[in-house]
Amino acid sequence: MTRSSYIFTSESVSEGHPDKVCDRISDEIVDLFFRRTIEKGLDPWVTRAACETLATTNKVVIAGETRLETEISHDEIIETARAAIKDIGYEQDGFHHATADIEVLLHGQSAHIAQGVDESGNKEEGAGDQGIMFGYATNETAEYMPAPLHFSHKILKKLAEVRHSGKESWLGPDAKSQVTVRYEHGKPVEATSIVLSTQHLDASMTSEDIAALVKPYIIGELGDALPISPNCAWHINPTGAFVIGGPDGDTGLTGRKIIVDTYGGAAPHGGGAFSGKDPTKVDRSAAYAARYLAKNVVAAGLADKCTIQLSYAIGVAEPLSIYANCEGTERCDLDALEKRLFEVMRLTPKGIRTHLDLNKPIYARTAAYGHFGRAPEADGGFSWEKLDLIEALKGL
């Protein structure tokens, strides 16, 4: 039986967190590859990218395996990285978009991997790797996301907004948030603790100064949707000064914030990161597909929460398994649900890329504040958040 009353915590990190800087650079390079392919009228189905980034004090290293039918110079990749760093807002002595040393170590994709993934003859495109992927949805928020993570993201997005606008120019790009939520009868009822650590560019500011400035934004973002307990424990910059931030303060790597990227620990994770990977990598595309299916299951009223697991073998097109778990909240037969999910969407890598239209430069925008719980966009961004399977799932 699922517990109905409990306390649960999730965290988020800002776009300027060192790991998120790396995720952003990696995804900007994936987008660059797709954008150039489309501009040249080439085939986006053969574009490949597995791009990893490391960032530390005034140093960025970009490595990985790629394949493209046209040329993109290292200078273009470096300029793409600089533009991303500038957009995030790093113009500090220890990490500056104009002066950071950026090294590119990208090389061609392994022919042995390519032969298993590529479509040929009667063989459909295979999965780019083995693995398990999970998708999750819950009706506890309008976005079908767990409340602790949803509100942790909202806090940091708001602070980024007022930083970029210049309204709060003292804010630095690096920040972390954490929200603890009390649940009763399976529903979030109040925030019992809120943690925020934000970089500040004015070294004279104290934790008390920062708390006085940011608390109104936090309260505004939670609003009536998540009441703040009268006894809420607030921890604003609890360690004191946080002037040195970003990659200058802590080394960043692509793919280290996989729980922030997904469900804040409220659902399982298969272990594979998303950023820097083209959609032949099922770590990314199948996780998007699993979220898409789970969200439509919950939106169709078949369950209050739903976890979908998919599994794949490298070079094999069809998934090895599909598993649905609704934690006892289901209003349908789960065996019938799993069968229907196979019917409403082709879950091969090619089927997922086609159904969700993933061969596009839509990935840099996913690098911060979560890959899920976002609104579908007109150009195909966040297509996995669409609710267009509801009618096909009803009647189970």
Side-chain angles (χ1 to χ4, degrees), residues 74-294:
H74 282 191
D75 286 344
E76 287 182 272
I77 291 169
I78 289 169
E79 288 309 306
T80 296
R82 292 197 192 283
I85 296 166
K86 182 178 182 180
D87 186 64
I88 292 168
Y90 276 111
E91 296 185 338
Q92 299 164 20
D93 289 342
F95 197 70
H96 195 295
H97 61 87
T99 59
D101 177 30
I102 301 177
E103 186 175 3
V104 179
L105 301 174
L106 296 171
H107 59 83
Q109 184 188 44
S110 162
H112 292 166
I113 293 176
Q115 70 184 358
V117 176
D118 289 349
E119 191 171 44
S120 61
N122 294 324
K123 175 187 173 295
E124 186 177 329
E125 173 186 291
D129 202 350
Q130 71 175 49
I132 57 174
M133 297 84 209
F134 290 92
Y136 178 74
T138 171
N139 61 10
E140 65 190 63
T141 63
E143 294 75 14
Y144 297 92
M145 290 292 288
L149 180 65
H150 173 68
F151 289 104
S152 294
H153 284 327
K154 284 196 72 177
I155 290 166
L156 294 184
K157 287 174 76 173
K158 183 63 178 180
L159 293 181
E161 176 189 319
V162 296
R163 174 175 64 86
H164 282 295
S165 72
K167 184 177 180 181
E168 303 290 355
S169 58
W170 60 271
L171 282 166
D174 194 359
K176 301 178 79 171
S177 64
Q178 186 170 284
V179 177
T180 299
V181 175
R182 183 171 67 85
Y183 286 76
E184 290 291 343
H185 308 295
K187 299 297 180 183
V189 295
E190 64 177 4
T192 61
S193 73
I194 296 170
V195 182
L196 176 75
S197 294
T198 182
Q199 184 185 13
H200 53 102
L201 304 182
D202 182 348
S204 70
M205 296 180 76
T206 66
S207 297
E208 291 75 20
D209 295 333
I210 294 166
L213 289 166
V214 300
K215 271 190 175 183
Y217 291 115
I218 295 172
I219 293 167
E221 288 307 297
L222 271 59
D224 296 331
L226 183 66
I228 298 173
S229 168
N231 299 315
C232 180
W234 290 83
H235 301 280
I236 307 296
N237 279 38
T239 63
F242 183 10
V243 177
I244 300 172
D248 187 30
D250 188 14
T251 298
L253 292 169
T254 299
R256 284 206 299 201
K257 289 294 177 283
I258 59 177
I259 301 302
V260 171
D261 285 344
T262 53
Y263 308 104
H269 195 297
F274 301 156
S275 289
K277 297 177 181 177
D278 73 75
T280 66
K281 280 70 172 175
V282 284
D283 280 342
R284 180 170 219 158
S285 56
Y288 289 175
R291 159 64 178 180
Y292 173 62
L293 294 174

Side-chain angles (χ1 to χ4, degrees), residues 28-92:
E28 289 284 4
I29 292 167
V30 176
D31 281 357
L32 173 64
F33 279 27
F34 275 115
R35 192 177 302 112
R36 182 60 50 82
T37 296
I38 293 166
E39 289 170 354
K40 295 281 189 178
L42 302 172
D43 184 4
W45 285 92
V46 301
T47 296
R48 301 285 186 270
C51 179
E52 313 291 345
T53 302
L54 175 147
T56 186
T57 302
N58 268 332
K59 178 74 175 181
V60 175
V61 179
I62 302 168
E65 302 77 47
T66 66
R67 187 174 75 188
L68 197 62
E69 289 187 310
T70 186
E71 288 295 321
I72 292 181
S73 69
H74 282 191
D75 286 344
E76 287 182 272
I77 291 169
I78 289 169
E79 288 309 306
T80 296
R82 292 197 192 283
I85 296 166
K86 182 178 182 180
D87 186 64
I88 292 168
Y90 276 111
E91 296 185 338
Q92 299 164 20

